[in-house]
Amino acid sequence: MEDFEDEDGPLELTPEPDLAVEENQKKGLWGKLKRGLFMTHTEMLERLDAAMEGRTVVNEETLEVLEESLLGADLGVETTLELIESIRSDVRPGQTDLLALRDRLADEVSLMLLDAPQPEPLDGSPTVHLIVGVNGVGKTTSIAKLGRWYQQNGSKVIFAAGDTFRAAAIEQISLWGERLGIDVVRQNAGGDPAAVVFDALQAARARGADHLIVDTAGRLHVKVNLMKELEKIGRVIDREAAGWRRRTLLVLDATTGQNAIAQAREFNKAVQADGVILTKIDGTAKGGMAVAVARDLRLPVLFLGVGEAAEDLVEFQPRAFASALFR
């Protein structure tokens, strides 16, 4: 399990916004994003630099190297071909240089990411977040990071240990709750996940929580059981959480590349996700799969995991991501 540094004390919220602090926070997030995409960014640019050696302008050979680089970064075949054809149509022989090419790539990828359907924004109503994904993708750690993210935005958070299939999952989320100061509603291993959610909703209402984040079992290989389990949880939420918003977030591991895309397709057959948390973006040269998720699956990436600390969660911003990838 990923770990993080313990907090020195309770989180204190500043009553009035401090513009200097906000600017530093933005720079900090940009730095995390740049560091997270360092491997992908470096590998692509090294290949392009090598292809441009001895040349001052982009030619067909450069585009072939670019195509290989985009495929290697797991942007996906269809996305890569679309980008290459778009760039080829605009490349002017003897005029387009590498910097112009990188700017064009960043602009094109931004548009692709912005084109993915976006979930309705949370309007301040209390929200239930169902977190789904196969075991091993960083689901429990992502729940902790998401809880911390909402904490830092001044919200009260409760966790529900709804993955009762694995005793280790209950222990992991309980440990995170203890370290973050977030209440965890749990039952014994083998219990009914819907009953856990029922108890968690009662607790969330009683304690004035803004966000209830629910772990779920990652048993994709028994999709029918997963579907029934999530449907039962959904009925509990419909009955017990009138006035609450619901979001289903799919956790994908960036290091698995196109396998993660296949996982996402299977999960969407069982439950329609509203968005994606892409984990381990800091440990792979396959960061381009965020583009494939948006372009091929028509799912928006909402958060990126860019490190091991609880604070290492970046809200996804398409233009900043594309710039970090290519510029």
Side-chain angles (χ1 to χ4, degrees), residues 235-250:
R235 289 194 296 271
V236 170
I237 294 172
D238 290 340
R239 186 177 69 244
E240 301 296 330
W244 285 57
R245 301 289 296 275
R246 189 195 312 183
R247 266 193 180 176
T248 300
L249 300 180
L250 174 61

Side-chain angles (χ1 to χ4, degrees), residues 298-321:
R298 305 294 295 161
L299 277 176
V301 176
L302 300 182
F303 293 95
L304 298 173
V306 293
E308 296 183 356
E311 290 77 15
D312 288 337
L313 188 73
V314 176
E315 186 175 20
F316 190 76
Q317 298 177 9
R319 295 189 188 281
F321 179 87

Side-chain angles (χ1 to χ4, degrees), residues 6 14 28 45 55 59 71 74-75 130 133 157 180 209 223-224 258 272 278 288 291 301-302 305 321:
D6 290 328
T14 307
L45 294 192
R55 302 185 180 92
N59 62 7
L71 289 172
D74 263 327
L75 272 80
L130 293 180
V157 180
L180 293 173
K223 188 170 58 182
V224 173
Q258 289 300 303
Q272 181 61 51
L278 190 59
V291 187
V301 176
L302 300 182
F321 179 87

Side-chain angles (χ1 to χ4, degrees), residues 2 5 7 32 41 45 56 62 78 80 84 91 121 132 136 142 150 160 165 197 214-215 222 229 281 307 314 317:
E2 296 173 353
E5 297 177 359
E7 296 298 314
K32 286 182 180 180
H41 173 90
L45 294 192
T56 57
T62 311
E78 293 183 10
T80 295
I84 293 297
V91 166
V132 301
S142 294
Y150 282 118
F165 186 69
V197 174
V214 181
D215 192 11
V222 281
E229 189 174 286
I281 199 76
V314 176
Q317 298 177 9

Side-chain angles (χ1 to χ4, degrees), residues 26-37:
K26 289 179 182 177
K27 289 180 180 178
L29 291 177
W30 173 259
K32 286 182 180 180
L33 180 59
K34 292 284 283 187
R35 288 194 299 273
L37 289 174

